[in-house]
Amino acid sequence: MAKGEAKARTSGTRAAPEPAFVQLLTPEGDRVEHPGYTVDFTDEEYRSLYHDLVVVRKLDAEATALQRQGELGIWASLLGQEAAQVGSGRALRAQDMAFPTYREHGVLYCRGIDPIMPLGLFRGVDQGGWDPNEFKFNMYTIVIGAQTLHATGYAMGITKDGKVGSDDGEAVIAYFGDGATSQGDVNEAFIWASVFNAPMVFFCQNNQYAISEPLERQTRVPLYHRASGFGFPGLRVDGNDVLACYAVTRKALDDARHGQGPSLIEAYTYRMGAHTTSDDPTRYRIASEVEAWQAKDPIKRLRAFLEKQGVAKADYFDAIDEEARVAAVELRERVLSMPDPDPMTLFDHVYPNGSPELDQQKEQFARYLASFEGSGH
């Protein structure tokens, strides 16, 4: 069922109705039908989705708290975007490759990566070094939009390797935000993916603000319309509806793996917190807007659905909350016990076989460190 909604802007001149999006679960937790998309989950699978949403949010909140206490250098919270990430992350098949930004902690969790991994990166003790080939999840990308080019090149390689055109084919998904659509890298990725028919899904989490700039500063048309200008389909999905995000992403990935080329998904959601812990969102948005989106919370709506359907009861929800709490405590303890790295390890993973230039730099750095010995510094 497609649903339109109106939204007022603090920086806009008028409120305009938003275009329809794919929705399977209303904010009140009612299941609705859509002619093109559906899900067929067991009760256990519904409960598992709820589990992931709650745990991911709790771990994210713990990371934010750690940064506020000086234990992380910075953190980019996903608060409010859990459904978009868990829904799309669960839609990936084992052979599919994901290219994240620096905020896809929920997708990372769905790919089976230890949640401690990105915290090492933001604590500055390592480079967040999980194996992208093992987990089919590339490294976090800090440069805005750059991962879309990496993803498109990877997808073109899949095609050349003959891994497209069947149920067992591979597909690629690239995550980015609404602000990244203004970057040249993203538009170049659209061009290349289109003309080479790459097995790509571009997944835009439109959380309404590119740091402090509202959406109307990025575009005069809905973001998913951008796809038509590059020659591939685009659609908008309710980004706070985990069921719809799953259904839309699974179909887009399946179309890509069967050789139907790229597509663009705009997950219409909202960043409930700051862009990063260096940001103050109260400077550019009003409380009433945040409150309006709190009523569309992805976890509350799935819980309401589970309760209405009799799929889960109070003891289940209490158990999940406790599991999430314990996971957060364990995460904190592991972060605080991370050892500081030996400064010389900075050179260990630059090139697989080293280089003369790197060896020279390493020698110079070693002499620099040695100059402090006995100085009390």
Side-chain angles (χ1 to χ4, degrees), residues 344 347-348 357-366:
M344 294 305 297
F347 301 88
D348 288 352
E357 293 84 0
L358 188 67
D359 292 341
Q360 183 181 24
Q361 293 174 23
K362 185 175 183 179
E363 182 181 346
Q364 291 174 347
F365 188 61

Side-chain angles (χ1 to χ4, degrees), residues 68-109:
R68 296 304 190 197
Q69 295 161 7
E71 301 298 342
L72 301 179
I74 194 172
W75 184 251
S77 173
L78 57 66
L79 181 61
Q81 299 177 219
E82 296 89 354
Q85 294 196 16
V86 171
S88 63
R90 284 289 201 95
L92 290 162
R93 300 191 190 277
Q95 69 268 28
D96 297 334
M97 176 64 91
F99 286 78
T101 67
Y102 43 77
R103 198 187 302 276
E104 272 66 61
H105 321 309
V107 186
L108 177 144
Y109 183 85

Side-chain angles (χ1 to χ4, degrees), residues 2 51 60 66 87 89 119 126 180 190 225 235 256 270 272 300 339 343 352:
H51 166 276
D60 176 71
L66 284 163
L119 275 74
D126 59 43
F190 286 172
H225 284 185
L235 62 80
Y270 193 79
M272 295 302 299
K300 290 180 180 177

Side-chain angles (χ1 to χ4, degrees), residues 43 46-48 50 302-318 320:
D43 289 353
Y46 280 123
R47 288 191 291 266
S48 181
Y50 181 82
L302 185 57
R303 175 168 179 159
F305 169 77
L306 296 179
E307 289 175 333
K308 289 179 179 181
Q309 298 297 314
V311 175
K313 297 182 179 180
D315 58 346
Y316 170 78
F317 298 119
D318 291 343
I320 295 299

Side-chain angles (χ1 to χ4, degrees), residues 151-374:
T152 300
Y154 188 95
M156 291 167 62
I158 287 175
T159 302
K160 289 182 178 295
D161 288 342
K163 296 179 179 179
V164 177
S166 70
D167 290 343
D168 297 325
E170 297 183 17
V172 179
I173 189 169
Y175 291 90
F176 54 98
D178 46 294
T181 62
S182 297
Q183 294 287 342
D185 284 7
V186 174
N187 290 270
E188 291 161 9
F190 286 172
I191 294 170
W192 281 79
S194 177
V195 297
F196 286 97
N197 204 47
M200 272 292 309
V201 175
F202 294 102
F203 194 92
C204 175
Q205 292 177 82
N206 176 5
N207 65 19
Q208 312 301 312
Y209 288 95
I211 305 182
S212 60
E213 293 294 330
L215 184 62
E216 54 262 31
R217 296 290 181 88
Q218 303 295 326
T219 181
R220 299 302 300 173
V221 299
L223 291 177
Y224 73 96
H225 284 185
R226 295 262 179 106
S228 62
F230 294 93
F232 55 86
L235 62 80
R236 174 177 277 184
V237 63
D238 183 346
N240 285 15
D241 176 356
V242 68
L243 305 186
C245 288
Y246 175 93
V248 165
T249 307
R250 172 53 64 92
K251 183 172 189 306
L253 289 166
D254 285 343
D255 288 347
R257 80 178 78 257
H258 281 92
Q260 297 183 33
S263 61
L264 170 63
I265 297 172
E266 178 192 355
Y268 195 76
T269 182
Y270 193 79
R271 168 169 54 79
M272 295 302 299
H275 172 72
T276 70
T277 46
S278 298
D279 173 43
D280 178 8
T282 63
R283 294 173 62 88
Y284 54 83
R285 67 187 190 190
I286 58 177
S288 60
E289 181 181 273
V290 179
E291 291 171 1
W293 277 92
Q294 286 175 339
K296 307 171 189 177
D297 183 273
I299 295 179
K300 290 180 180 177
R301 77 168 65 182
L302 185 57
R303 175 168 179 159
F305 169 77
L306 296 179
E307 289 175 333
K308 289 179 179 181
Q309 298 297 314
V311 175
K313 297 182 179 180
D315 58 346
Y316 170 78
F317 298 119
D318 291 343
I320 295 299
D321 289 342
E322 176 61 15
E323 181 181 341
R325 186 195 67 79
V326 171
V329 170
E330 292 177 351
L331 186 70
R332 167 175 288 272
E333 292 172 348
R334 294 175 67 192
V335 168
L336 297 180
S337 65
M338 283 180 170
D340 290 335
D342 182 338
M344 294 305 297
T345 61
L346 177 69
F347 301 88
D348 288 352
H349 303 293
V350 179
Y351 296 112
N353 301 311
S355 75
E357 293 84 0
L358 188 67
D359 292 341
Q360 183 181 24
Q361 293 174 23
K362 185 175 183 179
E363 182 181 346
Q364 291 174 347
F365 188 61
R367 290 199 302 269
Y368 172 74
L369 293 178
S371 71
F372 292 100
E373 293 181 3

